[in-house]
Amino acid sequence: MMLVEEGLYTLCITRRCRITRRYLRSSKNVFPAVMFVSDPATIILLVLLCLFLFNIFYGSKENLKNFPPGPKPLPIIGNMHILNLKKPHKTFMELSKKYGSVFSIKIGTQKMVILCGYETVKDALVNHAEEFSDRPHVPLFHDISRGYGVLFANGEGWKVMRRFTLSTLRDFGMGKKIIEDKIIEESDSLVEKFKSFGGKPFENSVIVNAAVANIIVSIILGHRFNYEDPVFLRLMSLITENIRLMGTPMAMLYNNFQSVMCWLPGSHKTVRQNAIETQKFIKETFTKSKEQLDVNDQRTLIDSFLIKQQEEKPESAKYYHDENLTMTVSNLFAAGMETTSTTLRWGILLMMKYQEIQKNVQNEIERVIGSAVPQTEHRKEMPYTDAVIHEIQRFSNIIPSNLPHATAQDVTFRGYFLPKGTYVIPLLTSVLRDEAHFERPNEFYPQHFLNTDGHFVKNEAFLPFSAGKRSCAGENMAKMELFLFFTKLLQNFTFKAPPGAELDLEAAVGFTTPPKHHYVCAVSRT
């Protein structure tokens, strides 16, 4: 009986929020279980009961004609009962075997269309780029971005911020010698840090995050941080925790049942608090930059934005405001650190696992570079190392479900009608592990990018940065970082597992897929 009362009370919250809040203030002891529920099992049962009652009153009867097929959903939860909640991309891959390369699934009340395989994903993102260029409304993403910035914005505001980001990154050296020198300098610092452990086991996630983050930080803020700087460590921990939490089952529940979950404890509240703290630091930073701004001396991306803000143009007032600056910087900080550093950590783990491949890379480094400083120009002379880096990116599968897309207009795609606003997942896992393009899709196999003569060959299904209008803005910089950091590390170290350690290649849970927690032994080669 108490559980039914709790469910009815929470339903009332969703229907009459104002009245309920007044009542709650005057009746704090009537439903104590609602206010202090902390047990996860109780929370889930409560949510399901509330949603069952909600569905009775408000359940949607909408059926779209000529919509992609998919498994039959249950009331309230949709297809959540068949979903791997921690790694939904695995369920999507299985469902594609039955329903084909374009199918639908329902998570809660949210219908989604899943696109699988290289040909289908490329067709959508490249051949129908404009039609699939929007982002859907994802409550957790909206809570932290409010529709501003680059990653989760839509419309003209997104286009203006993306153009600004691409042009400014190029102005500050993306893909050029100036940024290469910064990466080389940072790789020296990373090597010294690894050497300080003297070949003994250490956990490398924070160190690698710091080295990679310092590259984008140098563009945004104009300086680098020391690896032990408490402010820097705090910022990285906030971003890392949020990226992990956004891929958890509780985040999925919040995104699909926000009206109920917003009243309950959970990781969604931690994500919001972390975002608030990160954005506060960013705002304080560009406030200081305003005080020192010199129009004739643009030293950082923030300076460039602030100068745009001062231009007497309609676009400046409409789009170059503080909210867009805060979110664009936040987006770049997170994206510029997380994906590249996670890929590097996978690279180190895979070299520990496959010692022969590590040795082959080191032999090529010795033959082409020797003891000189690795440069991007060496890459064309190092087909094996290039193939290994590509395979690390493919195998590590950093963003398996991709960032979600939405249709910007009604579109008929591969025989199915998708109305404007349809939630679309172009499944990157299905591209990077497409059996039609990769001989051993589930294995680490550098030969995917080598011909029989040992020359590097491109593979059209290699899309770790996605494709189309929403592809990664920092792709060129990430490629340079991966090559320079990876070759510098293998030039200086042989990576081994600690004695008796088992190396697990199963990814951890998160919005991105980092390796599981492990220790590394970096044995100096010099």
Side-chain angles (χ1 to χ4, degrees), residues 278-295:
T278 303
Q279 291 165 25
K280 180 183 178 183
F281 169 81
I282 293 169
K283 288 175 182 177
E284 289 173 351
T285 300
F286 70 65
T287 299
K288 293 176 183 176
S289 297
K290 283 182 180 179
E291 298 169 356
Q292 305 166 359
L293 187 63
D294 183 349
V295 176

Side-chain angles (χ1 to χ4, degrees), residues 1-15 31 33-34 37 42 45-54 57 260:
M1 186 64 186
M2 185 61 184
L3 189 60
V4 173
E5 289 175 345
E6 291 171 0
L8 289 170
Y9 181 71
T10 306
L11 178 62
C12 289
I13 288 173
T14 66
R15 299 181 66 182
F31 299 107
V34 174
V37 169
T42 305
L45 285 172
L46 176 59
V47 169
L48 292 178
L49 176 61
C50 296
L51 292 170
F52 175 72
L53 296 171
F54 185 85
F57 292 104
V260 173

